[in-house]
Amino acid sequence: MILRNRTKPILLKKLDAALPRLPRKFKHRNKLEAEFARRYKGYIGEIKVDGYIHSYFAKNFTILHDVTLKIDSTEIQIDSILISPHAIYILEIKNYNDKIIFNTNLNTFTRDSGEIVTGFRHPISQAESHKFNLMRFLSELGYHDVPVHFFVAVSEPSTVIQVIGDEKAIAKMVSHGEHIPKKIIALEQRYENASNSRINHRKIGEAILGKCYDFDFNILGKYGVNWSSIMPGVHCPACGHLGMERIHSNWKCKQCNRLSKVAHIKTLSDYLLLIKPWITNKECMRFLNINSRNVVTRILKASNLEYDLKKRRWFKR
Ligand SMILES: [Zn+2]
């Protein structure tokens, strides 16, 4: 079963919400757009690989996606963890456009951009280090002898994977996402034949789930975006224009005349994501551009937000 589903990552949500709220000529707009495009492609690639994995293993394995764990002071992010009755399989999912090259003689990896990486940035080293960290984590929970395997899954079927040197060694660890199930099935067969002792995959999955959280950091701050760079206002759901007006109980777009009753819902969620995890009535008046305190109170009461009486502010349940 799928114990932890993949959802749109917080960082992607932040970039997505921030871009239409930054001035057109914002200094680092290009970099932010590139970061968004890169992360979005990565996310789509992960979903693609999930499809192959689910069709084979969702029934009999315990599966967790997008797992972030803190082990001592090291934070690790694992794209997917599959737990079978015999072993654990870690997937590091990578998205590349053109050709990538593994050189086993020099222990280097050449990205599709032509950049050569070594050491910790090498995708195999990354996956391998996740393996050792996860083993350490499991051992702290009392699971000492669970075998852990890792794979680098290349999400785009059109990416050319070239190997200079030991092709077999690379093929053991790296392949296109669609071929990963075959590799896992082969290993499972070996465990079956060896009649190794079985593990309680559900229990291990729940132990991991209990310690994992959503990965997040101030990605916007990295590009000089702070709360004052974020433009307030309600976006028109039809044409994207920022600054709908509240007329009676509707939002009206000056640009395309579209009326909406719910356009402010996205605005409130943008605020909670980009500015602060709560909002006061006064802040809400400014951000939605509404002059009436009563109207804002009515809107907030009808939203799915909860009111903190002591702090006099609204927050997400
Ligand atoms: Zn409009």
Side-chain angles (χ1 to χ4, degrees), residues 235-242 244 252-259:
H235 277 113
C236 168
C239 75
H241 174 74
L242 182 62
M244 291 186 101
K252 186 172 184 192
C253 178
K254 278 181 277 185
Q255 206 89 316
C256 72
N257 289 322
R258 168 74 167 255
L259 291 176

